Amino acid sequence: MTVSRRTMLGTSLAVLASKKVLAKVPAPAEPAPPSVKPSLVVPNGSILPSKLVRGARVFHLVAGEFDHEIAPGLTIKAWGYNGASPGPVIEATEGERVRIYVTNKLPESTTIHWHGVFVPNGMDGVAGLTQEAIAPGKTFKYEFTFDRAGTFMYHPHADEMTQIALGMMGMIVIHPRSGESARVRDYSLMTHEMMVPIGARRADPLAMTDFNVLTFNGKAFPATDALVAQVGDRVRIRIGNLGPMDHHPIHLHGHAFEVVATDGGTVPTSARVPETTVIVPVGTVRVVEFTARAAGDWPLHCHMTHHAMNQMGHAAANFIGADPAGVDAKLSRVVPGYMTMGHAGMTEMSTMRMPQPANAISMLGGKGPHGVIDMGGMFTIVKVRDHLVPGQDPGWYTGSTRASEASPSDLVGDGITP
Amino acid sequence: MTVSRRTMLGTSLAVLASKKVLAKVPAPAEPAPPSVKPSLVVPNGSILPSKLVRGARVFHLVAGEFDHEIAPGLTIKAWGYNGASPGPVIEATEGERVRIYVTNKLPESTTIHWHGVFVPNGMDGVAGLTQEAIAPGKTFKYEFTFDRAGTFMYHPHADEMTQIALGMMGMIVIHPRSGESARVRDYSLMTHEMMVPIGARRADPLAMTDFNVLTFNGKAFPATDALVAQVGDRVRIRIGNLGPMDHHPIHLHGHAFEVVATDGGTVPTSARVPETTVIVPVGTVRVVEFTARAAGDWPLHCHMTHHAMNQMGHAAANFIGADPAGVDAKLSRVVPGYMTMGHAGMTEMSTMRMPQPANAISMLGGKGPHGVIDMGGMFTIVKVRDHLVPGQDPGWYTGSTRASEASPSDLVGDGITP
Amino acid sequence: MTVSRRTMLGTSLAVLASKKVLAKVPAPAEPAPPSVKPSLVVPNGSILPSKLVRGARVFHLVAGEFDHEIAPGLTIKAWGYNGASPGPVIEATEGERVRIYVTNKLPESTTIHWHGVFVPNGMDGVAGLTQEAIAPGKTFKYEFTFDRAGTFMYHPHADEMTQIALGMMGMIVIHPRSGESARVRDYSLMTHEMMVPIGARRADPLAMTDFNVLTFNGKAFPATDALVAQVGDRVRIRIGNLGPMDHHPIHLHGHAFEVVATDGGTVPTSARVPETTVIVPVGTVRVVEFTARAAGDWPLHCHMTHHAMNQMGHAAANFIGADPAGVDAKLSRVVPGYMTMGHAGMTEMSTMRMPQPANAISMLGGKGPHGVIDMGGMFTIVKVRDHLVPGQDPGWYTGSTRASEASPSDLVGDGITP
């Protein structure tokens, strides 16, 4: 847009302004170009470095295996890009020509598909159909133009079941040529789910439903970085889900938001719906926006109860109010050799400092300001404050009266018999 | 809205009307206040009593364990509030100040989170993060203002996997200050899913996918109360889903409806979509509305085939057209010690009056006007009649020509060879 | 509409035109009647024949069991209609009176429910509730009017778990009385999922999650027919999902589309959202439309990774990067007696021509122009070409530069170290 108008006027606004002749230019039919630069934040992640070479932005993705810490206590062999799962975010601007080199250091062939991006068919990355697969050791070159702004994803389209299960996926953020129309806190999050048997070091690619490692940007709570915002800020969260199997309902406390875009494009204002929980189906991006309305520590999490927990939680919570005979077989499958613990709940377990199995997430990490936060998995916190100090951890929120034990005078005054 | 206009005019419209001066009042810029009072109906459930004390509406929820009948034949130990699962509906009016006391009679700590309600952070009910958990025996006080109308939910945010699995959840309905703009039949329904092994008395909180007890407001068909409406009535159904794991596609026969609100707010008219099946993701409310268009008994049910059945159905239907070797292991898991029955279908089983395992839902209960209704679980009926008699059971619908065996003259006339 | 206006004018526009008096006719308030005839295409399927008899369109569905080939190598005993699963598409025009005869050649009772169609309650097809079930050997008659255009579905409402699992389902397409307003490529696709143990010949109706046979119109890739379109064509795909259990996220490469209708009616333009993946919940129809924008072979597939694979794939891909101890139990359940194969990936297996178990889909069928396409299941290809030759297979697309191995000069020029 900006480019075409500049062309129409025959020179740039910047040049005009420097010549002090701006007042003579007729009022443009379009709004002035926004001055706000995009500023994407990737919690627990990073943005893929690039350089401008020979008329294109050049990126290099290296597919490989590496040690990946899900949360303190649990490290697995993951597959991903440039040593990360999800891989670094590819960030570019609408209209940019790109060359993306992909080196395969995996033991099997791979490709990359640019999910949602309009590329020439031969750049679509479908092994066998649109290209030869990239054999181990080889480096392939993809070249195309990001012809529209939006949020997209990348992943292999070769042995997808295995490669996605083990962690190969990433986000693509293409900013509009015109920049942002207003300042926005802009976050990118990617969901993932794995089945990692207790004590194992790899995800089981055959798992279809019984996932026990649920992550935002590759991390399970309490290892997930918080998102921060100041009261009144516009906040955008770009949530991508490449599966393998579940449509995650992502819930935010204390706010309502709207889906403003998908990987297919912008949602027209007339079609936007207020929600507190957005379902993010497999193979989609849901970009939500809201205005931070009140200070506090507001959880953001998958609302499927088994997805806001960690491996240990599945076992620990099982003995309260449950029929032991009915669950023994299943439990021993999930936690081989695990001892039965009587009637202790999750909180009790978290605090009794029981012996921890090797390579499993400790529940002790979820300490909050008022005791154990017995959540895990796909759970993080949006920390909204009246005033944020740049670069300073906002810590726990303590600025609000909180629910507490009712006093005798409350009970009498309100006629409550506990 | 009403309040502010009354203030502006200096007196209430009711007073003006009684003084016969209404004609002199200038036409209000806003529509006249609606006179229709909300009238919420909770099938198989109830509304939580409250009282106005010291400037607030006061409620008391008691978390505990109790015997809960899913349907005749199956009674379990459930967890819930005030002896019910889901708990009673919290009903209030937009702008009301409330104090909600929560007494914990469970064997483990709990809290209550007010899902979708904008509360001060300290009232958000997240154990460890925004408050201390409520220890067994304790009574906590929550105090806040319902600052917007809508449909919300409540549930524990402490050991959620266990507590939600066992039944702890409830609905919140906040009516607009201005009342309803028109008469509406207003229903509240909450979905739930449990795995209760045949013969067991408790749900298995570890279940992630193989649920066999599916309920609306805690009841499985045929124990679900029907919803009633008269032809031409506007009907609203507020459907809440707190999980644990499935996004339920709720289908209504004979009508199309629109989602008019979520727990995030009202869906603008421009964004409404006609549907016959609404997917209600975990952690969301979907409020649907439609006009009752034709008399009949119209099923309303989850369309996932295993969710509109009961425990026995899963076993019974298995022997028709199935490969016995392929299903034996799974079957014996679901129905330990259950006998194999040859090639009988569900209908046959329902009518052969076979010996019933202890504590299991009998399929015999689903008797309809034209034989066995071999449905169960998350299934109920919207009974639409040309004229309803208040307080009178509308019975079965018989007012329509129905599909029946083709006559020889039909077959000949239409050239059909069976 | 057309009919009533013609009546109002006293003669048809065709007659007027032939009399050369068209210029004198006042401009009609409504647009001229469209001249485009609907032309529905059912990949791998067919349209149910009908005839006009005694003032109604007469159809005959025969429910029964038959041999059904999922893909070369895998033939099962399916249940369906007129020897097909899904059954043939019922096609009619808005306002048409129909009589549909249903003959039951199954070993158990059945009915047909007309999902989304507004029928008199007695024609709704719910066994026991709105009619007697159709006993084996009987022929029933349904008679009603398709009173609105749209896309609907048909299926049994008797022992649904078994009958739907085994394949009983079909689509209904009712064209608007006024025809199409423009030429459109109009496709009908139905999803299905089954668990067929390797070597077995029947689906397991108890399966709730671990499906291994995923189909579009009853076929698994590579047996799925391609959809074709010319660049610039408007393309409509009517996607129906009757379950049993999964909400399928159907993704299209290289394009964004909009949901323009559901089984509840037309989505208003204001409510349409651009997407690349549409979630089709159980019990819904999602009609998507897009303009074919670029030549190529563009995959259309379910994005759940285990749903774009075949039986063999689940086993084959398992041995790369996986913890064998963790998957052995599960694997032996899926593939009884199957040999372990070391560290070969799916591609390797597909090409090593290993001995094939009896009655299982061969992975060798997925050959593409650039090697093996290691996809299966709910996967097909939208073949967009600059110019289509009617009746001629467009073959593979080769018109685009494709991703390939980076040359040494590329690597040096762009400063890439593999």
Side-chain angles (χ1 to χ4, degrees), chain B residues 306-383:
Chain B
H306 293 265
H307 289 189
M309 310 175 40
N310 287 328
Q311 290 170 305
M312 294 290 297
H314 286 265
N318 186 39
F319 301 95
I320 291 192
D323 175 41
V327 300
D328 269 3
K330 187 161 186 184
L331 183 64
S332 63
R333 176 172 62 79
V334 178
V335 200
Y338 209 66
M339 61 196 165
T340 299
M341 257 161 303
H343 303 286
M346 180 185 290
T347 307
E348 184 181 334
M349 278 199 59
S350 301
T351 51
M352 67 193 261
R353 296 182 181 277
M354 45 168 301
Q356 177 89 10
N359 204 39
I361 299 174
S362 164
M363 291 303 297
L364 298 175
K367 275 200 171 148
H370 308 296
V372 172
I373 304 172
D374 58 359
M375 307 296 292
M378 211 176 275
F379 182 98
T380 189
I381 299 171
V382 179
K383 291 181 166 284

Side-chain angles (χ1 to χ4, degrees), chain A residues 119-413:
Chain A
V119 295
N121 193 239
M123 297 294 161
D124 200 40
V126 183
L129 180 64
T130 66
Q131 68 166 89
E132 286 175 64
I134 309 170
K138 297 291 187 186
T139 295
F140 268 46
K141 180 183 74 165
Y142 293 84
E143 180 159 7
F144 52 86
T145 299
F146 281 112
D147 67 354
R148 55 184 193 136
T151 313
F152 313 108
M153 303 187 285
Y154 65 93
H155 66 86
H157 226 297
D159 195 3
E160 283 183 68
M161 183 189 80
T162 302
Q163 298 190 10
I164 285 183
L166 300 187
M168 299 186 73
M169 57 183 64
M171 297 287 279
I172 300 172
V173 174
I174 308 303
H175 298 286
R177 217 176 328 219
S178 54
E180 295 284 345
S181 59
R183 183 167 160 274
V184 63
R185 296 216 177 243
D186 197 348
Y187 293 100
S188 172
L189 281 185
M190 195 156 217
T191 64
H192 193 36
E193 55 188 7
M194 291 177 164
M195 170 57 182
V196 181
I198 295 279
R201 292 202 163 267
R202 286 180 191 277
D204 172 3
L206 283 184
M208 291 180 71
T209 56
D210 47 354
F211 301 102
N212 65 350
V213 170
L214 291 298
T215 54
F216 280 138
N217 283 352
K219 296 288 185 179
F221 183 82
T224 49
D225 282 353
L227 285 61
V228 300
Q230 201 164 289
V231 173
D233 280 353
R234 189 71 180 166
V235 182
R236 175 187 302 150
I237 310 176
R238 307 172 191 252
I239 312 173
N241 179 5
L242 281 173
M245 294 296 286
D246 279 301
H247 315 308
H248 297 291
I250 306 299
H251 177 61
L252 175 61
H253 287 220
H255 295 78
F257 51 65
E258 291 179 333
V259 174
V260 302
T262 79
D263 43 325
T266 301
V267 176
T269 307
S270 59
R272 296 184 186 174
V273 172
E275 296 187 276
T276 72
T277 302
V278 60
I279 189 157
V280 187
V282 175
T284 71
V285 171
R286 294 291 179 258
V287 182
V288 301
E289 286 190 9
F290 60 96
T291 299
R293 52 166 288 283
D297 286 340
W298 303 108
L300 175 77
H301 62 92
C302 181
H303 215 291
M304 293 161 81
T305 60
H306 293 265
H307 290 188
M309 311 173 41
N310 288 327
Q311 290 172 305
M312 294 291 296
H314 286 264
N318 185 39
F319 302 96
I320 290 191
D323 175 40
V327 300
D328 269 3
K330 186 161 186 184
L331 184 62
S332 62
R333 176 171 63 78
V334 179
V335 200
Y338 209 66
M339 61 195 164
T340 298
M341 258 160 301
H343 305 284
M346 180 184 291
T347 307
E348 184 180 333
M349 279 201 56
S350 300
T351 52
M352 67 195 262
R353 298 183 179 276
M354 44 167 302
Q356 178 89 8
N359 202 39
I361 300 173
S362 163
M363 291 303 298
L364 296 175
K367 273 197 172 151
H370 309 296
V372 173
I373 303 173
D374 59 0
M375 308 296 292
M378 212 177 274
F379 181 98
T380 188
I381 299 171
V382 179
K383 291 182 166 283
V384 179
R385 297 292 183 270
D386 291 313
H387 299 287
L388 281 175
V389 181
Q392 189 177 306
D393 181 341
W396 298 113
Y397 184 73
T398 55
S400 156
T401 309
R402 65 179 196 270
S404 57
E405 192 169 1
S407 68
S409 69
D410 275 333
L411 297 173
V412 169

Side-chain angles (χ1 to χ4, degrees), chain A residues 247 253 270 274 276-277 314 414, chain B residues 99 101 124 206 262-263 270 283:
Chain A
H247 315 308
H253 287 220
S270 59
T276 72
T277 302
H314 286 264
D414 283 339
Chain B
R99 279 193 296 280
Y101 291 88
D124 198 40
L206 282 185
T262 79
D263 44 323
S270 60

Side-chain angles (χ1 to χ4, degrees), chain C residues 24-91:
Chain C
K24 293 180 182 173
V25 176
E30 302 173 31
S35 56
V36 180
K37 273 195 59 175
S39 172
L40 185 69
V41 175
V42 187
N44 299 107
S46 67
I47 293 170
L48 184 62
S50 65
K51 52 189 173 187
L52 290 168
V53 186
R54 300 185 298 163
R57 188 171 290 281
V58 172
F59 297 90
H60 188 196
L61 288 169
V62 180
E65 179 175 286
F66 47 88
D67 287 325
H68 174 69
E69 188 187 72
I70 299 289
L74 177 60
T75 296
I76 63 168
K77 294 283 180 197
W79 286 14
Y81 300 96
N82 301 21
S85 171
V89 174
I90 294 177
E91 191 183 28

